[in-house]
Amino acid sequence: MADAETFDFPDEINQLQSLIIDNSHSNKEIFLRELIRNATDASDKIRFESLTDKSKLHAQPRFFIRIVPDKTNNTLSIIDSGIGMTKSDLVNNLGTSSRLETKAFVKALVAGVDISMIGQFGVGFYSAYLVAEKVIVTTKHNDDEQYVWESQADGSFTVTRDTSGENLGRGTKITLFLKEDQLEYLEEHRLKDLINEHPEFISYPISLWVKKTTKKEISDDKDEEEKKDEEGKVEDIDEDKEKEKKKRKIKEVSHEWSLVGKQKPIWMRTPIWTSKLGVITKKEYAALYKSLTNYREGHLAVKHFSVEGQPEFEAILFVPKRAPFDLFDTNMKQNNIKLRVPHVFRTEICEGLIPEYLGFVKGIVNSEDLPLNISREMLQQNEILKVIHKNLVKNCIELFFEIAANKEDYNKFYESFSKNLKFGIHEDSQNRTKIAELLRYHSTKSGDEMASLKDYVTRMKEGQNDIYYIRCASKKAVENSPFLKKLEKKGYEVLFMVDAIDEYTVGQLEEFDGKKLVSPTKEGLELDESEDEKGMKEALKEALKEMFEGYCKVIQDVSDRVVKVMEMLGFSMDVG
């Protein structure tokens, strides 16, 4: 083997590895899921390249993922025939690149986020150190020689050209040197259970190197020797017994590949999209959701639908029970909808499938109409994407209304994702009216419950033309507001808008069901008047007019008398 080159990990990766190694995590088994997913992604990439260049598969025409437990050396190896890595890939992807995702996950771990979320940040490889004290990665890419990456997570790693190891042809072999307290991951039943937990995103056969014990009959040489010693003795011969003595059974141990994870992914069954209602169970949807998201908690709601025509596609959409911690992190790429074109996931071209305000929705889209080799640039201009985008948004909003049918579920949903809906009012002019129906606010008449704008309109007083709201930090902060008292005195309901974004929401919405949204704190407020109020106002006006005219007449009479008196006294009243 050639001389090794040593590289230092950046601070972010050192910190990540320390957090993984030093902290006690109860679900260490997630490492296997992450490494198998990486192997699947690598296989998808070379398969995609082979569509335009069949020679890419010459070094290894078969696709496979293999898992080899070695109890002699306490190692566990995961081998794939994927795209492999060049020397540059090894250095950048597994070592020196300081990515925003790494920083984000370190921050998340410190904040208490579960380790199982590691795959969402693109750093799933490092989960290997949950169970391993040392990791060796041997890899071969079509465009480079075979290399070996090695690290004990001690601040550095080495990369060496492999001149003496097993020739992979193409692909990657990750060998984990397990910690003494993690040897359970060498047990066949444990590995099978873990692999079968999440088969939903495994499109390639997984084989486990297992021990096979067989019974075999052999000649019993010891019996033959005893027989020779007893020669000369006369006794009856039992032929059956004689045969039994000549043979004995022994256990023979060998190893073989055993196919694991034989269950088909949920979208590859016949055909799930057109299956009759009830064929897919709640348990199966839950398993797909957890595999799709890495969340340990189940989903709040699911919508499974297909669209016929041009294009044809199928989709499953999930709403989580709670908002992820990085929901509004602009540094994180939102890649929550996975696009599957014929038998391959194209996760790198999923941006634009769904608007930002719906970034919390998880799901999968399957389309046979999109070409497998479509690029991100082509997809952005593709009419099929526009149709998929429109239908995803439409079905998301329908799903929210379905959730709203259950008050308890909608309260959970609104607590987590109300800001997203309000962003939707700002971003999605086409669906603004529908989204507005999903908004909820506390009001002067809603008590402990929240009211929809539709609820407000149904309770409006006769003659009331506007919807009144007050922008405030909290309901308590405006309890003694003179503006509020003025409206309450007239019997008008007032909505309390306590989110900073509400100001922008109202600015975009302006009205609902033909009623303007009006704030009493703004200048120029004119309150609606009833017919009685208008009559009283006119009567008061007439009374004031009569009173004013009377005052004017009295003043004029007094003025005339003063003039006469002054003239009698000899004063001239001419002005000039």
Side-chain angles (χ1 to χ4, degrees), residues 78-139:
I78 296 91
I79 309 165
D80 69 68
S81 58
I83 196 167
M85 287 179 278
T86 63
K87 178 184 176 182
S88 177
D89 292 335
L90 279 176
V91 174
N92 292 323
N93 296 345
L94 302 187
T96 60
S97 63
S98 177
R99 295 177 294 178
L100 289 172
E101 289 88 345
T102 308
K103 294 180 180 179
F105 189 58
V106 167
K107 183 179 178 181
L109 274 182
V110 172
V113 165
D114 195 276
I115 188 70
S116 63
M117 294 294 294
I118 191 169
Q120 296 286 317
F121 294 81
V123 289
F125 167 77
Y126 297 106
S127 65
Y129 288 102
L130 287 168
V131 298
E133 57 189 12
K134 181 172 74 171
V135 177
I136 294 179
V137 179
T138 305
T139 188

Side-chain angles (χ1 to χ4, degrees), residues 142-201:
N142 283 332
D143 298 335
D144 208 342
E145 298 180 82
Q146 187 162 303
Y147 282 90
V148 176
W149 180 99
E150 181 176 338
S151 179
Q152 293 180 309
D154 54 0
S156 66
F157 64 94
T158 61
V159 175
T160 312
R161 186 164 61 88
D162 190 0
T163 57
S164 57
E166 173 192 359
N167 184 14
L168 296 178
R170 186 198 66 248
T172 299
K173 177 181 180 181
I174 300 175
T175 303
L176 312 182
F177 291 78
L178 298 180
K179 302 172 184 177
E180 289 186 5
D181 60 346
Q182 302 300 322
L183 300 183
E184 63 181 281
Y185 298 110
L186 297 177
E187 299 299 330
E188 179 183 328
H189 68 89
R190 183 76 168 107
L191 293 170
K192 284 184 175 179
D193 288 345
L194 290 176
I195 295 168
N196 286 320
E197 270 186 20
H198 301 287
E200 291 80 10
F201 284 91

Side-chain angles (χ1 to χ4, degrees), residues 446-478:
S446 68
D448 294 332
E449 301 292 328
M450 298 184 82
S452 67
L453 294 176
K454 187 174 286 188
D455 293 335
Y456 183 103
V457 171
T458 60
R459 292 196 292 257
M460 286 176 64
K461 288 188 67 178
E462 184 178 351
Q464 181 182 345
N465 296 317
D466 300 322
I467 296 173
Y468 296 105
Y469 73 91
I470 286 184
R471 169 73 185 94
C472 53
S474 67
K475 179 180 176 181
K476 191 173 183 179
V478 292

